[in-house]
Amino acid sequence: MIAGSFPSSRPRRNRQSSWSRDMMRENHLSVKDLIWPLFVQEGNNTASKITSMPGVSRLTIDLVVEHAAKAKELGIPAIALFPNTPDELKSEDGYEGVNPENLVCRTVRAIKAQVPDIGIICDVALDPYTTHGQDGIVKNGYVDNDLTLEALINQAHIQVNAGCDIIAPSDMMDGRVGAIRRTLEMREFHNVQIMAYAAKYASAFYGPFRDAVGSGGLLKGDKKSYQMDPANGDEALREVALDITEGADSVMVKPGLPYLDIVRDVRANFNIPVYAYQVSGEYAMIEAAAAAGAGDRDALVLETLMSFKRAGCSGVLTYHAAHAAKLLHG
Ligand code: PBG
């Protein structure tokens, strides 16, 4: 790198006017970078506020379809669905997760029928369906890896059968991407994508999400035996390498802002699309800052989203997607 010296070099020359800043800008944020996570609940024409995520609601299927249409209109390429499963359908083994008539599958079918041209991403993990809030099947106090894989394969299968375009395993079991890929190939779903939550950390930023899907109050203990240790970076690269070898089409880093170094490292080491999930706690933090008058909401939203692009993301899952899209459209 060549560095100039003052006064022959004056970095402010390039920043002096708006047209020049436009011309010199290294990264660009577009509505095509945004993926919108939506929470689904049973019922009709009802939006229920999520207290820990001001501005976000759980929606009944009819309203999710409306939101999908709005996303499409705004130019957002894809939405991600998360179910709030009624307590009476939760069980030790999360069996509702493999029911082809479950809330997520019915939602996927409704969206496909009415808003065919938007990408649908479905999570694969058992936590919305288990009475203990863990992402897998618990045996002797431990989330059993290989038993859980059997359930995840079936969960992925019913979701693609319903019309899901992208399977996103968020469970962090070993070997799940390979197991799902083999199943999809065998059952002739050759074109279903897998977006692997490759580097997903055992984070304190998931709290509001767990309220939204109703797993928070149920969760006993933590998820540290499968989600990653926030202290680790090299391990994230091993996780990404495994998921690519097993058949992932894209990978994800989660949470987002506290892990931008991981995004950058993944980008530098692998040539595959990398997404980040700006998670519920990050959303809540921005909303809290704005509500407290500590920062301008719109500016905070756009600046944080741009930082994902600068770190090397191909796109971002964000609860601010629709708002950001409106801002980007001016
Ligand atoms: C489920 C899942 C979680 C999130 C996405 N999928 C929660 C968790 O792992 O406990 C978090 C998303 C968010 O906080 O916005 N496995």
Side-chain angles (χ1 to χ4, degrees), residues 3 11 17 21 36 60 96 191 200 203 212 256 262 302 330:
S17 57
R21 291 190 295 273
W36 196 12
T60 50
E96 179 64 8
N191 285 327
K200 176 170 176 179
S203 171
I262 308 298
L302 292 179

Side-chain angles (χ1 to χ4, degrees), residues 49-55 207-212 280-281 283-285 287:
K49 291 199 167 79
I50 302 159
T51 324
S52 52
M53 295 179 83
F209 173 96
R210 293 177 188 167
D211 291 343
S280 57
Y283 172 90
M285 222 159 54
E287 289 300 312

Side-chain angles (χ1 to χ4, degrees), residues 172 176-177 196-201 228 233-248 250-253 262-263 265-267 269-274:
M172 289 299 278
R176 86 271 208 229
V177 172
Y197 284 74
K200 176 170 176 179
Y201 286 86
M228 282 182 54
D234 290 344
E235 188 185 2
L237 301 183
R238 296 199 292 277
E239 283 281 7
V240 169
L242 275 170
D243 286 356
I244 294 174
T245 325
E246 291 178 28
S250 59
V251 295
M252 197 201 294
V253 173
I262 308 298
V263 170
D265 285 349
V266 171
R267 196 67 189 194
N269 283 279
F270 302 95
N271 45 4
I272 191 165
V274 185

Side-chain angles (χ1 to χ4, degrees), residues 7-163:
S8 57
S9 178
R10 287 180 185 267
R12 288 185 61 191
R13 279 185 205 121
N14 289 352
R15 295 179 207 137
Q16 66 186 317
S17 57
S18 165
W19 63 261
S20 179
R21 291 190 295 273
D22 283 347
M23 201 171 104
M24 301 293 166
R25 188 159 300 123
E26 296 174 35
N27 293 286
H28 298 272
L29 179 67
S30 137
V31 292
K32 302 301 173 199
D33 298 317
L34 306 171
I35 297 170
W36 196 12
L38 296 171
F39 297 107
V40 199
Q41 66 180 1
E42 294 288 357
N44 234 303
N45 194 24
T46 309
S48 313
K49 291 199 167 79
I50 302 159
T51 324
S52 52
M53 295 179 83
V56 178
S57 297
R58 294 182 208 97
L59 308 165
T60 50
I61 295 178
D62 51 327
L63 298 184
V64 173
V65 170
E66 280 177 19
H67 280 60
K70 186 164 104 188
K72 169 79 194 142
E73 202 182 291
L74 287 165
I76 294 171
I79 55 177
L81 301 176
F82 296 96
N84 178 279
T85 308
D87 280 344
E88 62 274 19
L89 293 178
K90 294 187 180 184
S91 60
E92 272 289 307
D93 62 0
Y95 195 72
E96 179 64 8
V98 301
N99 171 8
E101 290 306 316
N102 70 20
L103 184 55
V104 161
C105 291
R106 279 180 281 128
T107 308
V108 172
R109 286 194 290 264
I111 297 168
K112 281 293 165 195
Q114 294 175 70
V115 193
D117 205 17
I118 193 160
I120 304 182
I121 303 173
C122 289
D123 227 55
V124 168
L126 299 181
D127 56 315
Y129 307 103
T130 54
T131 38
H132 43 69
Q134 295 287 354
D135 290 22
I137 296 172
V138 180
K139 209 173 139 185
N140 305 323
Y142 182 71
V143 175
D144 188 281
N145 196 84
D146 298 12
L147 256 182
T148 301
L149 289 186
E150 290 304 313
L152 298 179
I153 291 169
N154 293 326
Q155 186 184 16
H157 183 224
I158 57 148
Q159 291 178 159
V160 299
N161 243 342

